[in-house]
Amino acid sequence: MSLWKWAGGLVLGCAATLAQAELGLRTDGQVFGLAPSAPPAAFIQHLGEPTAELPLQQGRRGLLYGNALLLVFEGERLREVRCWKVQQFTDELFVGWLQDVERKGQPEGFVVDDRLRLGMPRQQVGAYLAGLEEAGDERSDLLQKNGRQIWLGYGPAPDYHLGDDPEQAVLVSISVLFEKP
């Protein structure tokens, strides 16, 4: 095998690994490279087998990937994508069990519109919100972008706050809702 062929294969392999490491959602288009109207089977084929399939209220079902990504379906249609930073969830919040879920090579990141990522300081999130209609409080923001409802949840920065009322300084949860057609 030539050195060029080997190096080319290495670059392609690294690019594929990087592409799988972070999942992208566009509020004006695709969800992880698929149309939002794609059925659950298409998402499973694209992302791999989910870690768990969860029954949810109102006949919905969730496909849990790793311990920090949930795709919510109503019938054959995607209704919501949720992601969160696991280290922010403790047993006191009744979702600490997620810390024990094995990742098994699941995607590591999640990005909305190539700009909004978990772990971002709240000040940086403000640039994404500029010009959008939104409502919010000290713990969350709710906004509309490209016809999608987006909920952003904030938590304390894990490196410096341990008090009773820590500043909600870091983006720890993102949910994107897809309305019925």
Side-chain angles (χ1 to χ4, degrees):
M1 175 185 286
S2 77
L3 180 60
W4 289 111
K5 193 178 236 183
W6 177 82
L10 180 64
V11 168
L12 288 175
C14 288
T17 300
L18 289 174
Q20 291 176 353
E22 186 172 72
L23 295 173
L25 183 151
R26 305 270 324 159
T27 57
D28 63 352
Q30 297 185 346
V31 178
F32 314 143
L34 298 171
S37 59
F43 283 93
I44 292 171
Q45 183 178 4
H46 184 66
L47 298 173
E49 286 296 318
T51 304
E53 188 169 331
L54 307 171
L56 303 171
Q57 293 179 344
Q58 301 170 344
R60 294 180 179 195
R61 68 181 174 144
L63 300 178
L64 179 66
Y65 283 90
N67 56 7
L69 175 68
L70 181 68
L71 307 179
V72 178
F73 291 88
E74 185 176 299
E76 292 293 303
R77 185 155 173 84
L78 182 67
R79 288 288 169 236
E80 190 172 357
V81 175
R82 302 176 189 174
C83 67
W84 54 90
K85 286 189 74 66
V86 174
Q87 49 283 42
Q88 297 289 339
F89 293 93
T90 65
D91 291 331
E92 294 81 32
L93 297 174
F94 303 105
V95 290
W97 61 271
L98 286 167
Q99 295 173 347
D100 295 327
V101 173
E102 286 188 43
R103 294 190 57 84
K104 296 183 186 173
Q106 299 299 334
E108 299 244 350
F110 179 81
V111 60
V112 175
D113 293 334
D114 298 325
R115 295 182 56 205
L116 195 60
R117 287 177 173 79
L118 294 175
M120 286 178 72
R122 193 168 188 170
Q123 297 86 352
Q124 288 180 0
V125 174
Y128 179 83
L129 303 177
L132 298 176
E133 264 189 58
E134 63 165 302
D137 59 23
E138 67 276 357
R139 297 189 184 273
S140 65
D141 283 311
L142 182 64
L143 58 128
Q144 289 280 105
K145 184 165 185 194
N146 296 318
R148 308 276 187 251
Q149 180 177 314
I150 304 171
W151 180 84
L152 307 174
Y154 302 101
D159 58 348
Y160 65 87
H161 277 300
L162 298 174
D164 291 336
D165 189 23
E167 179 184 356
Q168 306 302 302
V170 176
L171 183 61
V172 297
S173 182
I174 301 172
S175 293
V176 179
L177 182 67
F178 299 88
E179 297 295 329
K180 293 181 181 181

